[in-house]
C-alpha cells in the first residue's frame, strides 16, 4: 500500500508517493534513536490506551530541538504537556540555563512526564503549572512578561487555540516563534468551499475544532504581526515567527 502525504504547495508536484519501505527507512534513519522516548511512548500506551496518540510525534520533537538550539532559546512555554514528549525536547535544547513553563490540567498525565524529566536530569529546567492555560497566561501578562518568551508550543484543547494564540503573541518576543500543532486536524481542516488548484477537497468537517482551527490558520495568514507557514508533517504544524 502506498502512502501519499501532502509535502508541498507546488501544484506540479501536489503529492509525493512514499512506499511503506520508505516510511520505515525514514523512521529508522531519519530520526535519532532515543531510548527515553521509546520508554515514554510505551508507558503512555500502556496507561492511557488510545489517548497515547496525543504524544507529540518524534519528527516534531526533533524539529523543535534543532530550531531551539539554532536560535539559542532560553525562555519557553508549552500549553499541553500530556506525558512529556515535547517538553523533553524543549528542555534538552534550552540547556541548564534555560527554563520551560509547562502548562496542563491533568495530573495523571503529567506524573508520567515528571518521571521522564527526572530520568533525563531535566526537572530543574521545567516548571509544571497545573492550571487552566488562559488564566495563567493572563497572569503572566499582568506580571509584566510581555515580549519575554523565545518559543511557545500549543498542543492542547483545540477550542481555545485562538485564545492561546492571542495571549502568546503578546508574551513571545519579536523574533520568537510560536508552534501550533494539529492545524490540519486529521485532514479535516480544508474547506470544501475553497478551491485548491482547480479541484475541491473531498473533506468536509464542520466540527467546532475543525472550524476554529480553519479560522485561526486563515487569520494568521494575514496577521501583519507575524510570518508563518504550515509544515505538513504529523498532523500539521503552523510555525509562526513574530516580527
Amino acid at each position: 500500500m502506498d502512502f501519499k502525504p501532502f509535502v508541498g504547495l507546488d501544484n506540479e508536484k501536489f503529492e509525493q508517493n512514499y512506499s511503506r519501505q520508505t516510511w520505515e527507512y525514514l523512521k529508522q534513519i531519519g530520526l535519532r534513536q532515543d531510548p527515553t522516548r521509546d520508554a515514554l511512548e510505551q508507558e503512555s500506551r500502556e496507561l492511557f490506551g488510545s489517548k497515547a496518540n496525543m504524544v507529540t510525534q518524534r519528527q516534531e520533537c526533533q524539529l523543535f530541538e534543532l530550531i531551539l538550539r539554532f536560535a539559542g532559546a532560553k525562555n519557553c512555554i508549552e500549553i499541553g504537556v500530556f506525558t512529556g514528549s515535547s517538553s523533553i525536547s524543549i528542555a534538552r535544547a534550552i540547556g541548564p540555563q534555560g527554563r520551560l513553563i509547562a502548562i496542563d490540567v491533568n495530573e495523571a498525565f503529567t506524573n508520567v512526564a515528571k518521571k521522564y524529566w527526572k530520568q533525563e536530569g531535566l526537572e530543574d529546567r521545567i516548571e509544571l503549572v497545573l492550571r487552566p492555560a488562559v488564566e495563567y497566561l493572563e497572569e503572566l501578562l499582568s506580571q509584566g512578561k510581555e515580549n519575554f518568551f523565545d518559543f511557545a508550543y500549543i498542543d492542547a484543547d483545540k477550542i481555545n487555540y485562538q485564545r492561546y494564540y492571542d495571549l502568546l503573541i503578546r508574551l513571545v518576543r519579536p523574533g520568537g516563534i510560536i508552534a501550533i500543532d494539529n492545524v490540519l486536524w486529521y485532514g479535516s481542516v480544508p474547506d470544501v468551499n475553497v478551491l485548491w488548484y482547480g479541484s475541491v477537497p473531498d473533506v468536509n468537517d464542520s466540527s467546532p475544532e475543525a472550524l476554529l482551527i480553519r479560522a485561526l490558520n486563515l487569520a494568521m495568514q494575514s496577521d501583519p504581526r507575524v510570518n508563518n507557514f504550515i509544515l505538513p508533517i504529523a498532523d500539521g504544524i503552523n510555525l509562526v515567527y513574530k516580527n
Side-chain angles (χ1 to χ4, degrees), residues 122-150:
L122 301 171
E123 67 270 32
D124 291 341
R125 307 178 192 182
I126 303 172
E127 177 187 350
L128 176 62
V129 176
L130 288 170
R131 289 176 57 185
V134 168
E135 172 188 294
Y136 185 71
L137 297 179
E138 289 174 341
E139 185 174 300
L140 288 175
L141 286 169
S142 72
Q143 294 171 355
K145 296 293 187 180
E146 195 155 347
N147 297 320
F148 177 78
F149 292 94
D150 303 306

Side-chain angles (χ1 to χ4, degrees), residues 37 52-65 67-68 73 75-91 94 99-104 117 133-134 136-137 140 149-158 160-161 163-165 167-169 171-173 176-183 185-186 216 220 231 233-241:
R37 207 174 295 282
N53 66 6
M54 294 193 294
V55 171
T56 300
Q57 291 195 21
R58 296 192 185 200
Q59 295 95 328
E60 297 174 90
C61 290
Q62 195 153 327
L63 174 66
F64 296 158
E65 191 166 343
I67 289 173
L68 295 178
N75 296 301
C76 300
I77 190 164
E78 172 183 58
I79 303 175
V81 177
F82 191 47
T83 52
S85 182
S86 53
S87 53
I88 286 174
S89 289
I90 296 169
I94 60 180
R99 183 184 181 213
L100 167 64
I101 297 176
I103 308 170
D104 207 295
W117 296 343
V134 168
Y136 185 71
L137 297 179
L140 288 175
F149 292 94
D150 303 306
F151 176 79
Y153 178 45
I154 305 173
D155 185 17
D157 55 310
K158 313 312 169 194
N160 280 312
Y161 262 28
R163 298 180 74 190
Y164 298 150
Y165 175 74
L167 292 164
L168 287 170
I169 199 65
L171 288 162
V172 169
R173 65 171 175 82
I177 293 172
I178 303 172
I180 307 172
D181 202 5
N182 302 116
V183 296
W185 199 232
Y186 304 102
L216 178 60
M220 282 189 288
L231 186 61
I233 63 172
D235 193 24
I237 312 166
N238 206 326
L239 289 177
V240 184
Y241 174 89

